[in-house]
Amino acid sequence: MSSTTGAASGSTSGSASGSASGSASGGPPLTERQEARRRRILHASAQLARRGGFDAVQMREVAEISNVALGTLYRYFPSKIHLLVATMQDQLQHMHETLHKRPPQEEDSAARVAETLMRAFRAMQREPHLADAMVRALTFADRSVSPEVDTVSRLTTAIILDAMGLESAPTPEQLSAVRVIEHTWHSALITWLSGRASIAQVKIDIETVCHLIDVTAPGR
């Protein structure tokens, strides 16, 4: 991968990571103590979601488990939706780091992206209550949650671009293809969680939409 691609996908990933480490209001970077508190809150959120999904995540209980005052919790995350979208952001960041350590080995770009997204999907499948809570929060998010939603989108974009392994900066057509792939992956998660699609159907949909990578490759 060339330095140009590294700059393109790296800046995307970096901005997402930076946002994840910032305050809920998008203010200055958190201190080490504040970041540790934020980590405890996100851990408590994921722990409750794993047990019982969206409804199990109650702000008062999150505050108790993470050992922070309820008022402090609301300063970090103004609502449960903010908290769960930030939890998804945190899970994607961890997934991105794992993929850097164990990248997909397929030779074809479209196959690498499909395998990457299916890995992400299988991770969600192993924890369906957590997946349902995060996806529901993302679906319910209004304009006030835009910074957190944008970070989730940037992280997803960074994951796909890394898997593509481009030798130069992505073209507008390639970025458009990435957005369509993101939309399809999100929609596939929703239909699977609601019981309207099987794992096999999800795999077919993801593999099909990933062919857009070949279609939008420069020179086609």
Side-chain angles (χ1 to χ4, degrees):
M1 186 181 294
S2 72
S3 59
T4 310
T5 308
S9 59
S11 62
T12 307
S13 169
S15 63
S17 302
S19 175
S21 298
S23 66
S25 60
L30 301 178
T31 65
E32 187 175 336
R33 185 176 178 181
Q34 289 171 327
E35 181 61 27
R37 185 182 295 131
R38 185 178 186 275
R39 299 294 317 162
R40 293 202 309 271
I41 293 170
L42 290 173
H43 179 76
S45 168
Q47 181 182 338
L48 289 170
R50 286 187 180 99
R51 286 185 202 163
F54 184 86
D55 293 335
V57 181
Q58 300 297 322
M59 296 297 271
R60 187 172 297 279
E61 193 168 355
V62 170
E64 290 174 0
I65 293 173
S66 56
N67 195 30
V68 302
L70 187 59
T72 301
L73 172 58
Y74 277 108
R75 283 199 296 274
Y76 280 79
F77 303 103
S79 73
K80 181 165 87 167
I81 300 298
H82 286 81
L83 174 56
L84 282 169
V85 173
T87 302
M88 185 169 196
Q89 167 186 312
D90 188 60
Q91 295 290 316
L92 283 172
Q93 185 64 40
H94 176 71
M95 195 178 297
H96 197 189
E97 292 165 2
T98 300
L99 287 165
H100 272 301
K101 294 173 186 173
R102 294 190 300 106
Q105 299 301 311
E106 286 77 5
E107 293 185 9
D108 178 70
S109 292
R112 283 197 302 275
V113 173
E115 172 56 23
T116 294
L117 293 178
M118 284 308 298
R119 273 201 219 172
F121 187 84
R122 285 191 288 270
M124 298 274 194
Q125 186 185 6
R126 286 192 292 271
E127 299 182 314
H129 290 310
L130 175 60
D132 181 62
M134 296 187 301
V135 171
R136 282 176 67 181
L138 203 62
T139 304
F140 295 157
D142 60 20
R143 197 169 295 179
S144 71
V145 199
S146 290
E148 290 85 353
V149 172
D150 289 345
T151 300
V152 167
S153 179
R154 285 195 299 271
L155 274 167
T156 310
T157 298
I159 288 169
I160 293 172
L161 287 174
D162 279 359
M164 287 171 69
L166 302 177
E167 294 182 355
S168 59
T171 65
E173 291 78 12
Q174 286 174 314
L175 288 174
S176 180
V178 168
R179 286 193 296 272
V180 175
I181 291 168
E182 285 182 42
H183 295 325
T184 302
W185 184 68
H186 182 238
S187 176
L189 273 176
I190 292 173
T191 54
W192 172 72
L193 286 166
S194 64
R196 292 183 287 118
S198 65
I199 304 297
Q201 287 173 315
V202 167
K203 189 173 187 292
I204 290 170
D205 288 352
I206 288 175
E207 289 176 346
T208 300
V209 76
C210 283
H211 286 306
L212 286 174
I213 293 169
D214 296 330
V215 173
T216 57
R220 285 294 297 265

